[in-house]
Amino acid sequence: MTDLRGPYTYSSALGDDDCVAGTYKAEVDGWKLTWSDGMYQLHGYRRGDVVPTLDLLFSHKHPEDRPRCEEIVAQVARTGGYFCMYHRIIDSRGKTRRVLSSGEGILGPDGKVSVIEGVMVDLTSTLQRETEQTARDAVAGATSTRTVIDQARGILMAQLKVGSDDAFKLLVTASSHRNVKLVAVAAELVQLANSVDARQFLDRAVMAIQAESLGKTGAGAAQREVKPAPGHRPTPSSVRASTAGRRAG
């Protein structure tokens, strides 16, 4: 029996870590199977532990996936052509793996399918790594968003002498009034507070947010004209705040 070489593999999620994969060959007449070492590993064996057969192959398919896998293999055995199956297998140790199996039914001189050969790749670790990274990114994004909103709430509390809940309600109202995300309103307010050049627009921006919560377009200090520093380009928040002030006048 000729030993098959395993495929060259790479997973962007795993980097330099191994991505388990194997190649296989099945002679349709008599269904004689040949596996590379990777195929044995995927199914929880070492070369010499078992003799690969079609029944053994299908016995490791997840019960919910097995019928469809059998249908596709039977179809390829009849007509040839390429196939690709993402499904689950259960190895000899009871571990469930998510694999991608692809291959081709090759026609012989008589025009009938003589051989099916292809590759099987274990995607379990790749999917797990990507899921974990997505979860970490989501947590980091949520933490960052909460931090910005808390900072903006603190600015409104200090400027308007209001409580935490009232400050948050002001941000929510401004977000709804402007039809932009809450974090965007908060981020622009924090930007004004942290920028030396733009800090002069902070009072105007705060008053504009307060006015929006009252259903007005401007009030009190929001009507005062504040000239920008030489060479300074107003931020989006300062432009909206300035517009609110002019409308009030």
Side-chain angles (χ1 to χ4, degrees):
M1 180 180 293
T2 303
D3 290 344
L4 296 179
R5 296 182 59 185
Y8 298 106
T9 62
Y10 168 71
S11 168
S12 60
L14 300 179
D16 294 332
D17 293 345
D18 290 336
C19 181
V20 182
T23 55
Y24 57 86
K25 179 179 179 181
E27 299 176 22
V28 175
D29 185 12
W31 289 107
K32 179 182 178 182
L33 271 60
T34 306
W35 283 359
S36 71
D37 289 340
M39 285 293 292
Y40 286 99
Q41 183 180 351
L42 281 167
H43 291 85
Y45 302 111
R46 292 181 297 179
R47 184 178 294 279
D49 288 346
V50 295
V51 175
T53 64
L54 196 62
D55 288 340
L56 177 67
L57 178 69
F58 285 136
S59 71
H60 282 284
K61 305 298 183 189
H62 190 283
E64 294 178 1
D65 299 335
R66 177 172 177 170
R68 184 56 179 152
C69 291
E70 291 178 333
E71 290 175 7
I72 291 176
V73 171
Q75 178 66 38
V76 173
R78 289 193 301 269
T79 63
Y82 297 96
F83 67 93
C84 187
M85 303 183 299
Y86 171 66
H87 61 288
R88 293 160 291 179
I89 64 174
I90 302 173
D91 69 17
S92 64
R93 302 177 182 85
K95 177 181 178 180
T96 299
R97 297 176 182 267
R98 285 164 171 77
V99 301
L100 180 68
S101 180
S102 64
E104 178 186 10
I106 303 173
L107 302 181
D110 59 357
K112 296 181 180 180
V113 178
S114 61
V115 173
I116 297 176
E117 58 183 31
V119 59
M120 180 180 288
V121 183
D122 185 4
L123 299 180
T124 308
S125 297
T126 293
L127 293 172
Q128 181 179 356
R129 188 72 57 83
E130 290 185 342
T131 299
E132 291 173 350
Q133 185 59 52
T134 299
R136 285 194 293 269
D137 291 344
V139 171
T143 301
S144 176
T145 296
R146 185 167 58 249
T147 298
V148 171
I149 292 175
D150 286 345
Q151 289 177 343
R153 179 159 50 183
I155 292 171
L156 291 178
M157 290 171 63
Q159 292 287 111
L160 299 176
K161 308 303 181 185
V162 297
S164 177
D165 290 343
D166 288 337
F168 183 73
K169 290 178 182 178
L170 289 172
L171 289 172
V172 171
T173 301
S175 171
S176 177
H177 184 269
R178 301 176 189 180
N179 195 28
V180 297
K181 291 183 178 180
L182 177 63
V183 67
V185 176
E188 291 182 356
L189 194 60
V190 172
Q191 181 183 8
L192 286 175
N194 291 335
S195 173
V196 175
D197 293 336
R199 192 174 297 163
Q200 58 185 307
F201 295 102
L202 180 60
D203 286 345
R204 185 181 295 277
V206 170
M207 296 307 294
I209 290 176
Q210 184 183 47
E212 287 168 344
S213 72
L214 298 174
K216 302 176 182 179
T217 56
Q223 298 181 18
R224 294 197 298 268
E225 290 294 332
V226 180
K227 296 181 180 180
H232 172 66
R233 297 180 63 184
T235 64
S237 287
S238 64
V239 171
R240 282 197 293 271
S242 178
T243 301
R246 288 198 297 272
R247 287 178 181 172

